[in-house]
Amino acid sequence: MINKIQEFNVMRENLNYKFFINGEWRVSTSGKTITIKNPFNNEIVGNIQACTKEEVDQAIINAKQSVNCWENTPIRERAEILKKAANLMNKWSDYLGELLMNENGKPLKSAISEIKRTALIFNATAEAKSELVGTTMTGDILEGGSREKISITYRVPLGVVLCIGPFNYPFNLTGSKIAPALLTGNSVVMKPSTEGSITASHLGIILDKAGVPPGVFNIITGRGSEIGDYLISHPDINMINFTGSSKTGKHLAEVAGMIPLLLELGGKDAAIVLNDADLKKTVKSIVSGAFSYNGQRCTAVKRVLPMPDIADILIEKVVEETKKLSIGDPAENKSIGPLINSNQCDYVQELIDDAIDKGVEVKCGNKREGNILWPTVLDKVTVDMRIAWEEQFGPVVPFIRVKTIEEAIKISNDSEYGLQGMIFTNNIDLALNIAQELEVGTVQINGQSSRGPDHFPFIGTKASGMGAQGIKYSIKNMSRPKVIVMNLSEKGKLLRKCDID
Ligand code: G3H
C-alpha cells in the first residue's frame, strides 16, 4: 500500500514500522520484528518491532517523568489537543481505514468508520472536560461535623495508564482508552494487539502533531507472550485499561496487583425472542448482530433463544437473509470476509463440528476457503454442545429453542459471561421484567447488542469485564478524587453575625 501522507514517513522504513518513545520513532535493539499479514490474501502489510523489556522500562520511565508536566497543562488545553487529534484522524481516515482493512480484514467502509468513530470519541471526550470539576462541602451535615470543616474535592490523574487494545478495533478501542486517559492528565503507554499494531501506531504521529508533549504518549509493540507480563506487573504502571479475551483478562487481573483495572472482555450475548416479536426487525438485528465483521465483536449476537411459536419462521427468515450476505474481499466491502487468522478459523470449525457430532441441524454455511468461513446458522442447538457456551468469535449463530421464558432466562444466565442480553417483544412491561432478571451489563430491548453510542456506559459483568467504560465513565475511572480539608479556627465564628433575639 502506497503511503502518500508525508507525515507518516518518519515511523517506518520500507515496510518496517518503528515504536514510539519520548516523541521519537525507534528500531528495537532486539533486532527482531514480527510480520503482519493481510488475513484475506496473506500479503505482508508490514513488520512491527519486537520490543525488549529494557524498552518497556524506557517507555514507562518517560511516561512517569512526564506526568507532572502534563497534569499541570490546563484541562482546556488538553481538551484542545484531543480536538486537534480528532481533526487529523478525520483528515487521514481514508488512508488509515485502508491500512486497517489490510491488517485485520475489516470491510473498507467499516474500517474507515472505525477511524471516524474514534475522532468522534476524541471530540466528545474533550467536550466532557466538565466531568473533572470538583466540589466543596461543609462538615455540618453529619453529626460531629461543623461548618468550620470544609472539604475541597477535585480530580487528579492516576499516573501512568497502560492501554492495551484488541485486534478487532485496534484503532478505536485503543483510542477510546487513550482520550480519557490524556484528558484527565495521565501519561500513557499503549500496547496494541499484534494484529492491529500498525494502524494503532499511527496514533503516535497523530497525538504528536496535535501537541501531546514528548513522553506523555508512548507505544510499545511486541508479543504479549514475551513482554506482556513484564508490562502489566511493572511497578510504575498505575492503572490498566484492557480489551481482549476473558482468558487474558483473568490472567492480567492475577498478575497486575493492587492497581485500578478497567477490563472489557468476552461475551456470549443471548437474544431472547418472544412469540409476539416484530419478525422483520428481529431478523435484521440477528443477522447484522451475528455476522458484522464476521462475528468478531465482543457484543456480537452469539446465541438466539426463540420461543416455540416464532422459532420456525424466525429461523427460516434468518437463513434466507444470511444466504444473501456477500462473501469475499474486504476491499469490495463484502459482508463476510476473513477471520483474523487460521487458528481462529480452526477453533470456530471445531465448535461447529462438535455440534454436528451431537446432532445439530446445519441450516446454511459450514464451508471454508482460506480464512473465510461462510456464515453459518445452526438450529436445535442443545446445552451439551460447546457452541451453546463458548464464545465463537466467528460467523456462526446458534439457535437454542426454548419452551418458556424462565428457561430462556436460565440459559442466558448460566453463561460464564455477562456482557449484554437482548429481548425481542412488543410487550414492553414483560421485557422490562425479563431485563431485570438477566445477569449482564446491558439489556437491549428490540435491538442488537452493541457498545455504542460511546457516551453510554459499557459494562461487562462476570467473565465479561470489570468497571464501566463510556466517555464520562472512563474519565471518572481514569482519575481519582483528591480531598483537601480546611479546618477553620474558632476565631472565624466570631465574625459571624447570627444572634437571634
Ligand atoms: O468487540 C468489542 C467491542 O467493544 C464491540 O463494539 O458493539 O461497537 O461493535 P461494537
Side-chain angles (χ1 to χ4, degrees), residues 234-260:
H234 200 288
D236 290 322
I237 292 290
N238 304 108
M239 190 234 178
I240 303 176
N241 188 182
F242 168 81
T243 299
S245 71
S246 295
K247 188 175 165 216
T248 310
K250 279 179 196 166
H251 174 73
L252 185 152
E254 278 161 18
V255 174
M258 212 174 82
I259 58 169

Side-chain angles (χ1 to χ4, degrees), residues 106 117 166 168-169 172-173 243 264-265 292 296-300 302 391 393 419-420 448-452 454 458 469:
K106 190 170 273 194
R117 179 177 178 182
N168 64 345
Y169 283 93
N172 178 268
L173 276 173
T243 299
E264 178 195 344
L265 310 173
S292 297
Q296 296 176 116
R297 297 165 50 242
C298 57
T299 48
K302 300 205 175 99
E391 184 182 27
F393 231 68
L419 189 57
Q420 298 206 349
Q448 70 187 71
S449 40
S450 71
R451 168 167 49 115
D454 292 309
F458 186 49
Q469 294 183 101

